[in-house]
Amino acid sequence: MTPAAASRIAVVTGASSGIGAATARQLAAEGYRVVLTARRKDRIEALAEEITTAGGQATAYTLDVTDRTAVDEFASAFKTIGVLVNNAGGALGADPIATGDPAQWRQMYETNVIGTLNITQALLPALTASGDGTVVVLSSTAGHGTYEGGGGYVAAKHAEHVLAETLRLEIVGTPVRVIEVAPGMVKTEEFALTRFGGDSDKAAKVYAGVAQPLTADDVAETITWAVTRPSHVNIDLLVVRPRAQASNTKIHREL
Ligand SMILES: NC(=O)c1ccc[n+]([C@@H]2O[C@H](COP(=O)([O-])OP(=O)(O)OC[C@H]3O[C@@H](n4cnc5c(N)ncnc54)[C@H](OP(=O)(O)O)[C@@H]3O)[C@@H](O)[C@H]2O)c1
């Protein structure tokens, strides 16, 4: 494979739903050969087929980003890749510090932080070998400020932000750039449902009265724009929120 073709391969983690799936669709539309990864095989296989039918190039690979052995095996298939989108992640619970569940905190750290660390470490040689690599870290506005009940998720997303900032410092001078995208409120099908253990009433309250939360497509467009800037342009950090959200705690609701 030529270096130019290699730099057109984009690995997206958490591509089975929400922002990851939308990003995979949009990168494929931009001409990237997308590699879709997530734990739910049926969903990524269906998306790969959808993209292929639409004329794009996509393959699916079932992967849990917290499983380092599996991540290393996955990465060994690539000598060079152009883009890694670290999207797999999410929140569990919204309890105050006083009563938060340490197991949920641990799981959020494992998925958002160690998952991103695992796959970034494993693919960094291939990203460097492409001569033009891009690492995207999907943090959150929760990585830049806190809110009541957000403790465990906020802590994990702050750590993801620090991972991105530190990596950018450490690899400067190599042909790899590090882009952090930090969205505010995004209404995806599963994020809030997962957070509240499938409780749809609690999940609906997250978005109650908010005229237009961001959509997965809005964030995917932001990611795709940042990734498709010329190689020498590094979008360090992009914070994107809906107009109705001025901060993590100041949200306009029409109730
Ligand atoms: N929605 C928001 O308001 C919002 C705001 C800011 C940032 N974010 C961040 O954006 C990212 C995507 O969020 P979303 O709203 O699109 O949520 P989502 O629809 O729940 O998507 C989460 C994705 O992560 C994958 N995933 C979870 N654990 C995994 C693991 N151990 N290994 C591999 N994949 C795993 C899931 O796939 P499988 O279950 O199939 O593995 C799923 O595809 C997350 O990092 C989230 O923290 C979301």
Side-chain angles (χ1 to χ4, degrees):
M1 192 177 294
T2 63
S7 66
R8 301 298 284 175
I9 296 175
V11 172
V12 181
T13 68
S16 59
S17 63
I19 296 166
T23 302
R25 284 192 186 95
Q26 292 193 22
L27 289 176
E30 286 291 324
Y32 285 91
R33 193 187 120 202
V34 289
V35 181
L36 317 173
T37 74
R39 292 167 302 180
R40 285 171 294 176
K41 185 174 192 270
D42 53 334
R43 294 184 69 122
I44 49 173
E45 282 183 347
L47 180 55
E49 198 176 322
E50 177 201 308
I51 290 171
T52 309
T53 305
Q57 287 181 281
T59 48
Y61 191 103
T62 311
L63 186 66
D64 181 336
V65 290
T66 66
D67 180 343
R68 184 54 190 253
T69 307
V71 167
D72 284 341
E73 196 186 322
F74 165 73
S76 70
F78 300 96
K79 284 205 168 58
T80 59
I81 66 158
V83 178
L84 165 63
V85 181
N86 282 298
N87 165 77
L92 292 173
D95 302 308
I97 303 289
T99 55
D101 178 355
Q104 288 188 331
W105 279 57
R106 208 168 279 122
Q107 196 178 331
M108 285 188 279
Y109 198 87
E110 274 289 330
T111 309
N112 292 282
V113 189
I114 305 299
T116 297
L117 176 70
N118 280 341
I119 195 139
T120 303
Q121 278 185 343
L123 287 174
L124 202 50
L127 285 154
T128 309
S130 76
D132 186 12
T134 300
V135 177
V136 177
V137 174
L138 204 76
S139 65
S140 167
T141 52
H144 298 269
T146 194
Y147 55 94
E148 290 135 301
Y153 183 58
V154 165
K157 287 300 190 186
H158 271 70
E160 237 187 303
H161 159 63
V162 168
L163 186 159
E165 278 217 319
T166 309
L167 179 64
R168 194 180 302 117
L169 293 174
E170 290 172 351
I171 65 172
V172 70
T174 74
V176 180
R177 57 188 176 170
V178 181
I179 296 171
E180 178 184 351
V181 176
M185 181 187 284
V186 191
K187 191 172 182 184
T188 53
E189 271 174 44
E190 298 187 356
F191 178 84
L193 264 184
T194 303
R195 179 169 211 162
F196 295 109
D199 184 329
S200 50
D201 289 340
K202 278 190 183 168
K205 280 194 185 123
V206 172
Y207 309 104
V210 180
Q212 280 182 299
L214 295 178
T215 64
D217 278 336
D218 292 329
V219 181
E221 265 173 38
T222 304
I223 294 168
T224 303
W225 175 80
V227 165
T228 53
R229 292 315 84 210
S231 307
H232 69 287
V233 177
N234 198 126
I235 307 296
D236 282 14
L237 169 65
L238 226 158
V239 177
V240 52
R241 301 182 198 267
R243 189 174 59 192
Q245 185 184 29
S247 78
N248 287 348
T249 50
K250 181 79 178 173
I251 300 166
H252 179 69
R253 295 182 192 269
E254 291 165 7
L255 294 170

